[in-house]
Amino acid sequence: MALHFQVNVYRYYQPSTLAGSSGVCMMSSTWRDEQHPSFLNFISCFLKENSFRSNIVPIAPDFIFNCGGLSVAFMFVTNWGGIDTASFFRKVQKLKEQFANFYVVVTLPTKEQNDSLIYSYIKYGMQLGRPTFVPVRDLEMGFEKIVKIAHARGACKRQDALAKIKAEKEKSVQAMEIYLQVVTSIPGVDSHDANVLNQTIGSIEAIAKSSKEYILETTDLSPTTAETITRFFRDPKFYLAPKIG
């Protein structure tokens, strides 16, 4: 039975690809203690080159990256042949419930190890894509993929935030346009007067509740304009009467 992991989105890349990016990388102290010093040196240099700050902490995942305000957790298996698969998949099941963004990166240099992972994946009833498994050929590629995934997810988070800000700005502009249309429909009130009322008194509801004296006290509008505004909102004979011009 063939099992297709969701791994092709993130391709092998050179460290310079992420130049200018930034974030925080938290590494499990337990995971670190199990790695060769030369690989740890590679990780340190790679993170530094890509402007990531790193911390060694006692965390359950092997790595947690914070990029663009988004946390992404990883398990990174560097020796598939030397693990207890039952304990491994129990931990995977537990962590996927704890982290909304969770990936499992597994180093599989041989076909036999790849077949073993697929067999275990099915045996322990994993749901495809929850979490996403990322098989790699070697350690360096594995860590580069981890950073790539974290960076990509953080970039998407930032884009979503910018899109939300843009949408809120457009909504605000539309609301102001409606405000001006309503207020300038009052006889004798122009755009300048409407903007003054918006800056000093505020909403249309607040204007409707304001007295002539309060309008004169808080704005530079003329007594005639202030009288017209109060009559417009309070005197049905005034605002229902036909207007000429």
Side-chain angles (χ1 to χ4, degrees):
M1 178 180 179
L3 179 63
H4 301 285
F5 293 97
Q6 299 177 6
V7 299
N8 295 326
V9 174
Y10 304 101
R11 300 172 56 191
Y12 187 79
Y13 64 100
Q14 296 300 320
S16 59
T17 304
L18 296 181
S21 67
S22 62
V24 177
C25 167
M26 291 179 284
M27 180 193 302
S28 163
S29 53
T30 301
W31 184 89
R32 178 202 58 181
D33 294 342
E34 298 172 349
Q35 308 308 315
H36 193 278
S38 62
F39 183 44
L40 294 175
N41 183 63
F42 166 82
I43 290 175
S44 177
C45 293
F46 190 82
L47 290 173
K48 184 177 180 180
E49 182 172 343
N50 290 287
S51 303
F52 278 90
R53 291 183 289 114
S54 61
N55 295 309
I56 310 299
V57 288
I59 53 177
D62 298 327
F63 291 92
I64 298 177
F65 279 76
N66 191 300
C67 301
L70 182 75
S71 292
V72 188
F74 297 88
M75 285 183 67
F76 186 12
V77 180
T78 56
N79 180 18
W80 175 254
I83 69 167
D84 178 346
T85 54
S87 297
F88 167 75
F89 280 102
R90 280 197 298 270
K91 185 175 182 180
V92 169
Q93 293 282 19
K94 184 177 180 180
L95 290 176
K96 81 173 184 179
E97 300 301 328
Q98 296 177 352
F99 294 91
N101 304 290
F102 175 52
Y103 296 81
V104 181
V105 179
V106 187
T107 305
L108 302 168
T110 67
K111 182 180 183 302
E112 290 73 18
Q113 289 185 343
N114 186 74
D115 292 343
S116 173
L117 172 62
I118 294 174
Y119 172 81
S120 298
Y121 189 95
I122 298 172
K123 176 182 177 181
Y124 292 101
M126 297 302 298
Q127 181 180 350
L128 191 63
R130 293 197 70 244
T132 297
F133 274 64
V134 185
V136 295
R137 293 189 301 272
D138 56 60
L139 301 179
E140 290 78 10
M141 178 188 288
F143 189 72
E144 290 179 356
K145 280 185 177 288
I146 285 174
V147 178
K148 178 86 172 197
I149 292 170
H151 179 266
R153 293 302 304 270
C156 290
K157 176 73 173 181
R158 286 191 292 269
Q159 290 173 359
D160 290 343
L162 290 173
K164 185 176 182 180
I165 292 172
K166 182 179 179 181
E168 289 295 331
K169 184 177 180 181
E170 291 176 350
K171 184 178 179 180
S172 176
V173 170
Q174 292 173 355
M176 188 60 187
E177 289 176 349
I178 294 172
Y179 177 92
L180 291 173
Q181 289 176 3
V182 172
V183 178
T184 56
S185 69
I186 301 172
V189 177
D190 58 21
S191 295
H192 168 76
D193 298 334
N195 280 310
V196 169
L197 289 166
N198 179 58
Q199 293 170 12
T200 55
I201 297 178
S203 67
I204 294 173
E205 182 181 6
I207 296 171
K209 294 178 179 179
S210 297
S211 65
K212 174 183 175 181
E213 292 72 21
Y214 182 73
I215 293 174
L216 290 173
E217 179 183 339
T218 56
T219 73
D220 63 355
L221 301 186
S222 68
T224 301
T225 302
E227 174 69 22
T228 301
I229 292 171
T230 55
R231 288 188 61 198
F232 180 84
F233 287 106
R234 298 180 185 182
D235 186 354
K237 294 180 180 179
F238 181 82
Y239 63 73
L240 293 178
K243 306 297 186 298
I244 300 175

